[in-house]
């Protein structure tokens, strides 16, 4: 009988077909030698794999080896595997000769369906269009053939600033996992590996993200019942005292394969139909999961291999060490310091800090997209290569000059001030363009527009920003100030 190999991101029941099929789980130490992963990410992945091995008992052969190849030498039966999620792993399984590769799982839309959809668009590939297609194709939140409520996107209702009252959002916190003996063993092994010279980044800490299906479904059901109603309005807001807001904190669970995205999508739909959550929140969540998550997965395979190394806006500076090493204490800018500390302490911050604080700063300063891809992959508990092409290269850095997005996500400190409570307690002034207290995001924004104007899209919105740029009589002073600041910690 064929033995099914489960990679460490294929751990849920939807990666199996037969309760009695022999299984294979492999822990490769070389994976951790290759890159300096966040310590909590290394812990989560190993903990999830070992918990799955313990659950499966005799059904699974659990091997620990230096490399996958070395482990496979010890397996006698022919092996099959669901399509891996990275090119490197796909090339490995193909090169082994004796491994049958099955179609991918863990995403909603099939690769052939996406390819047919994208080929029809002849190069104009946009999330909104794909999202409509996916809603219709999988019959999600539909009334006949039209969207429930009459509109495909309720984003306009979902852009509220943080509540005026300071302090955490008024939602019950997500249930946290309890560590057990397997976690203790993982921590011990990682300490040993670190002593042997394997490098990690970030701080160790209690495990915050689910490592088993039970932990993941508990968090999902709690989210659908108690947190989803507030998800929409504050989706984009950032609050210093509340890193989680009403986000689901489930990305690592989907990406480890503990949860099937469709079960969460149907659960959110049900929460709407039973009156537990309003439509804008439900639609907002479905757009993230059915829209964005599937979209970025497919673009990873659809775009050429070279897309990862795109550098359309001419970003040639190296990522500085204070950023790479998560040295939040060296940063005075309150937004960036808080977000970098969140990555250091948890390996997770929500979408807006990733896009508008970390990436916005990197793009303004001209840091190399390929180095950022590596940094995001290593530093986040949910970081996977398939998520990088679109999220980092395409959306955040605009390095592919608009193959998947209509504009670069560049913004000044005034934007950060609108969507967060950061600026009040910051030594910089979000409106200040130059001078000692000038916000580095505001100065950086104008310099970015000036530097890249020839490569920016010719949309009405961009034209408005460029007209404002042309009216700045202090541009030379701002440029000189930002040249002096360079990539130092602001
Ligand atoms: C620069 C950058 C890098 C990112 N890298 C990753 C990554 O490596 N892995 C990853 O899973 N997400 C990534 N994201 C997307 C997003 O930030 C995280 O999925 C989200 O913050 C995880 O928190 P959550 O589970 O509470 O999400 P929620 O806000 O609750 O959203 C629900 C779910 O939607 C999915 N989702 C939403 N947006 C995206 C997106 N753009 N891409 C993929 N899935 C999405 C996630 O599975 C998430 O769990 C990245 C975003 C940016 C801007
Ligand atoms: S003033 Fe500028 S640096 Fe300070 S928190 Fe606001 S956006 Fe960030």
């Amino acid at each position: 009988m064929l033995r099914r190999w489960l990679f460490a991101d294929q751990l849920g029941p939807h990666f199996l077909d037969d309760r009695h099929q022999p299984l294979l789980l492999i822990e490769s130490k070389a994976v951790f030698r290759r890159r300096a992963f966040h310590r909590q990410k290394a812990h989560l992945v190993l903990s999830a794999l070992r918990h799955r091995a313990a659950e499966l008992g005799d059904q699974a052969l659990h091997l620990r080896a230096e490399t996958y190849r070395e482990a496979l030498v010890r397996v006698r039966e022919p092996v099959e595997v669901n399509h891996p999620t990275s090119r490197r792993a796909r090339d490995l399984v193909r090169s082994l000769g004796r491994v049958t590769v099955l179609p991918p799982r863990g995403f909603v839309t099939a690769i052939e369906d996406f390819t047919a959809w994208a080929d029809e668009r002849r190069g104009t590939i946009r999330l909104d269009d794909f999202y409509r297609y996916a809603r219709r194709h999988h019959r999600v939140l539909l009334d006949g053939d039209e969207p429930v409520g009459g509109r495909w996107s309720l984003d306009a209702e979902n852009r509220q600033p943080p509540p005026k009252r300071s302090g955490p959002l008024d939602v019950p916190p997500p249930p946290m996992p309890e560590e057990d003996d397997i976690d203790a063993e993982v921590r011990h092994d990682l300490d040993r590996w670190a002593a042997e010279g394997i490098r990690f980044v970030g701080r160790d800490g209690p495990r915050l993200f689910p490592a088993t299906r039970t932990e993941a479904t508990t968090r999902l059901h709690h989210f659908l019942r108690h947190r989803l109603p507030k998800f929409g309005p504050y989706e984009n807001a950032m609050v210093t005292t509340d890193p989680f807001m009403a986000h689901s904190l489930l990305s690592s669970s989907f990406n480890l394969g503990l949860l099937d995205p469709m079960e969460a999508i149907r659960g959110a739909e049900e929460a709407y139909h039973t009156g537990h959550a309003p439509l804008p929140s439900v639609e907002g969540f479905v757009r993230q999961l059915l829209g964005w998550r599937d979209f970025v997965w497919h673009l990873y395979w659809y775009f050429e291999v070279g897309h990862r190394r795109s550098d359309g806006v001419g970003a040639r500076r190296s990522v500085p060490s204070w950023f790479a090493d998560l040295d939040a204490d060296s940063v005075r800018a309150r937004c960036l310091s808080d977000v970098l500390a969140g990555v250091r302490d948890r390996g997770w911050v929500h979408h807006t800090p990733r896009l508008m604080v970390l990436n916005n700063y990197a793009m303004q300063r001209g840091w190399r997209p390929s180095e950022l891809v590596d940094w995001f992959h290593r530093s986040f508990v949910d970081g996977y290569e398939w998520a990088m092409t679109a999220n980092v290269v395409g959306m955040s850095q605009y390095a592919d000059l608009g193959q998947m997005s209509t504009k670069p996500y560049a913004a000044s400190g005034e934007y950060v001030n609108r969507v967060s409570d950061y600026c009040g307690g910051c030594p910089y002034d979000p409106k200040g363009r130059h001078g000692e207290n000038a916000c580095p995001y505001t100065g950086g924004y104008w310099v970015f527009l000036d530097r890249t104007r020839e490569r920016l899209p010719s949309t009405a919105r961009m034209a408005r920003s460029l007209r404002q740029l042309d009216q700045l009589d202090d541009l030379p002073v701002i440029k000189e100030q930002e040249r002096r600041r360079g990539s130092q910690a602001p």
Side-chain angles (χ1 to χ4, degrees), residues 256-325:
L256 286 167
L258 297 172
L259 292 177
D260 182 344
M262 207 52 183
E263 70 183 301
I265 291 165
R266 295 295 180 213
E269 248 189 322
E270 195 185 322
Y272 166 66
H273 288 304
T274 53
H276 283 106
L279 188 56
S281 283
V282 170
E283 189 280 313
F285 182 69
V286 167
R287 183 151 27 90
Q288 302 307 313
L289 206 47
L290 176 66
W292 276 110
R293 185 171 185 274
D294 254 42
F295 191 55
V296 307
W297 157 252
H298 287 298
L299 290 183
Y300 173 67
W301 299 104
Y302 190 72
F303 286 153
E304 298 294 316
V305 185
H307 185 267
R308 190 184 188 280
R309 289 185 294 278
S310 307
D311 177 25
V313 289
R316 305 276 151 74
R317 286 187 181 158
S318 270
V319 172
S321 58
W322 58 268
F323 189 91
D325 298 338

Side-chain angles (χ1 to χ4, degrees), residues 231 247-251 254-255 285 288-289 292-293 296 348-351 354-355 359 376 382-384 387-388 391-392 396:
F231 175 85
H247 290 274
S248 67
L249 276 80
L250 288 170
S251 49
F254 294 121
N255 297 353
F285 182 69
Q288 302 307 313
L289 206 47
W292 276 110
R293 185 171 185 274
V296 307
W348 181 95
V349 291
H350 75 72
H351 189 74
R354 295 188 204 200
L355 187 61
N359 269 286
F376 270 95
D382 58 20
Y384 286 84
M388 295 301 139
N391 275 315
V392 180
S396 309

Side-chain angles (χ1 to χ4, degrees), residues 198-446:
I198 294 187
R199 215 182 133 239
F200 297 102
V201 294
R203 289 186 179 160
D204 192 11
R207 178 166 60 79
L208 302 177
F209 293 88
T212 64
R213 175 147 172 93
T214 305
E215 289 174 351
T217 50
T218 302
R219 183 171 285 184
L220 171 64
H221 294 145
H222 180 274
F223 169 76
L224 293 173
R225 184 81 196 181
H226 302 291
R227 295 164 57 77
L228 177 61
K230 291 264 172 68
F231 175 85
Y234 302 113
E235 205 180 331
N236 294 332
M238 299 182 281
V239 173
T240 319
T241 50
D242 188 357
F244 302 150
M245 307 285 292
H247 290 274
S248 67
L249 276 80
L250 288 170
S251 49
S252 59
S253 305
F254 294 121
N255 297 353
L256 286 167
L258 297 172
L259 292 177
D260 182 344
M262 207 52 183
E263 70 183 301
I265 291 165
R266 295 295 180 213
E269 248 189 322
E270 195 185 322
Y272 166 66
H273 288 304
T274 53
H276 283 106
L279 188 56
S281 283
V282 170
E283 189 280 313
F285 182 69
V286 167
R287 183 151 27 90
Q288 302 307 313
L289 206 47
L290 176 66
W292 276 110
R293 185 171 185 274
D294 254 42
F295 191 55
V296 307
W297 157 252
H298 287 298
L299 290 183
Y300 173 67
W301 299 104
Y302 190 72
F303 286 153
E304 298 294 316
V305 185
H307 185 267
R308 190 184 188 280
R309 289 185 294 278
S310 307
D311 177 25
V313 289
R316 305 276 151 74
R317 286 187 181 158
S318 270
V319 172
S321 58
W322 58 268
F323 189 91
D325 298 338
L326 311 176
D327 182 7
D329 297 337
S330 68
V331 180
R332 288 168 67 228
R334 192 159 179 243
C335 56
L336 185 52
S337 175
D338 187 68
V339 170
L340 210 52
V343 183
R344 178 194 65 197
D345 298 344
R346 292 185 298 276
W348 181 95
V349 291
H350 75 72
H351 189 74
T352 318
R354 295 188 204 200
L355 187 61
M356 303 314 293
V357 177
L358 298 170
N359 269 286
N360 186 18
Y361 201 72
M363 181 165 63
Q364 291 181 359
R365 302 288 143 182
W367 298 344
R368 283 195 195 106
S370 58
E371 289 182 34
L372 287 166
V373 160
D374 182 57
W375 184 82
F376 270 95
H377 180 174
R378 295 184 293 108
S379 311
F380 282 78
V381 288
D382 58 20
Y384 286 84
E385 188 174 289
W386 59 263
M388 295 301 139
T389 301
N391 275 315
V392 180
V393 178
M395 177 166 55
S396 309
Q397 297 301 305
Y398 199 66
D400 63 4
L401 297 180
Q403 278 192 54
M404 61 156 290
S405 60
T406 50
K407 59 169 180 148
Y409 281 85
S412 72
E414 290 185 76
Y415 172 87
V416 176
N417 195 22
R418 265 202 308 282
V419 300
S420 79
D421 65 354
Y422 281 131
C423 300
C426 180
Y428 298 112
D429 168 11
K431 285 194 167 56
R433 291 198 294 262
H434 58 82
E436 212 173 297
N437 298 337
C439 169
Y441 282 87
T442 301
Y445 171 69
W446 294 117

Side-chain angles (χ1 to χ4, degrees), residues 23-297:
L23 303 170
L24 172 65
L25 292 157
I26 304 176
E27 251 180 67
S28 153
K29 202 167 167 185
V31 169
F32 297 94
R33 284 190 209 284
R34 245 192 329 262
R35 291 195 156 91
F37 284 106
H38 197 294
R39 170 72 193 230
Q40 292 183 45
K41 177 178 187 170
H43 185 124
L44 179 63
V45 172
L46 282 180
S47 176
L49 191 92
R50 291 181 188 182
H51 274 99
R52 189 64 173 133
E55 279 165 11
L56 291 166
D58 292 343
Q59 195 188 346
L61 177 62
H62 175 203
L63 298 177
R64 298 179 189 188
E66 184 59 29
T67 64
Y68 291 122
R69 273 181 205 280
E70 278 178 34
L72 282 159
V73 171
R74 293 189 243 154
V75 180
R76 267 172 278 126
E77 307 90 333
V79 173
E80 63 178 13
V81 68
N82 282 115
H83 194 293
T85 57
S86 73
R87 286 201 172 84
R88 188 189 180 105
R90 182 204 56 188
D91 293 347
L92 169 79
V93 296
R94 281 186 181 165
S95 73
L96 292 166
R98 55 183 283 221
V99 177
T100 309
V101 183
L102 306 169
R105 300 186 187 189
F107 296 87
V108 183
T109 302
I111 287 196
E112 314 76 71
D113 291 341
F114 181 88
T115 306
W117 171 85
D119 284 349
E120 265 177 34
R121 265 68 196 166
R122 301 217 175 91
T124 309
I125 300 174
R126 296 288 179 255
L127 179 272
D128 287 347
D129 190 8
F130 169 69
Y131 173 53
R132 275 197 292 276
Y133 161 82
R135 287 254 307 260
R136 282 208 171 104
H137 192 78
H138 301 287
R139 301 218 55 79
V140 175
L141 288 176
L142 283 191
D143 188 355
D145 214 21
E146 294 306 313
V148 166
R151 280 180 294 153
W152 291 105
S153 167
L154 302 177
D155 206 22
E157 275 123 277
N158 282 349
R159 288 198 200 119
Q160 292 190 28
K164 287 262 176 298
R165 184 185 56 81
S166 63
L169 203 62
D170 185 20
V171 284
M176 285 294 163
E178 274 182 31
E179 290 199 9
D180 59 11
D181 291 348
I182 294 181
D183 288 294
E185 188 207 26
V186 168
R187 183 159 284 113
H188 177 262
D189 286 351
L190 291 176
D191 284 344
R192 195 162 43 76
W193 292 3
E196 286 169 16
I198 294 187
R199 215 182 133 239
F200 297 102
V201 294
R203 289 186 179 160
D204 192 11
R207 178 166 60 79
L208 302 177
F209 293 88
T212 64
R213 175 147 172 93
T214 305
E215 289 174 351
T217 50
T218 302
R219 183 171 285 184
L220 171 64
H221 294 145
H222 180 274
F223 169 76
L224 293 173
R225 184 81 196 181
H226 302 291
R227 295 164 57 77
L228 177 61
K230 291 264 172 68
F231 175 85
Y234 302 113
E235 205 180 331
N236 294 332
M238 299 182 281
V239 173
T240 319
T241 50
D242 188 357
F244 302 150
M245 307 285 292
H247 290 274
S248 67
L249 276 80
L250 288 170
S251 49
S252 59
S253 305
F254 294 121
N255 297 353
L256 286 167
L258 297 172
L259 292 177
D260 182 344
M262 207 52 183
E263 70 183 301
I265 291 165
R266 295 295 180 213
E269 248 189 322
E270 195 185 322
Y272 166 66
H273 288 304
T274 53
H276 283 106
L279 188 56
S281 283
V282 170
E283 189 280 313
F285 182 69
V286 167
R287 183 151 27 90
Q288 302 307 313
L289 206 47
L290 176 66
W292 276 110
R293 185 171 185 274
D294 254 42
F295 191 55
V296 307
W297 157 252

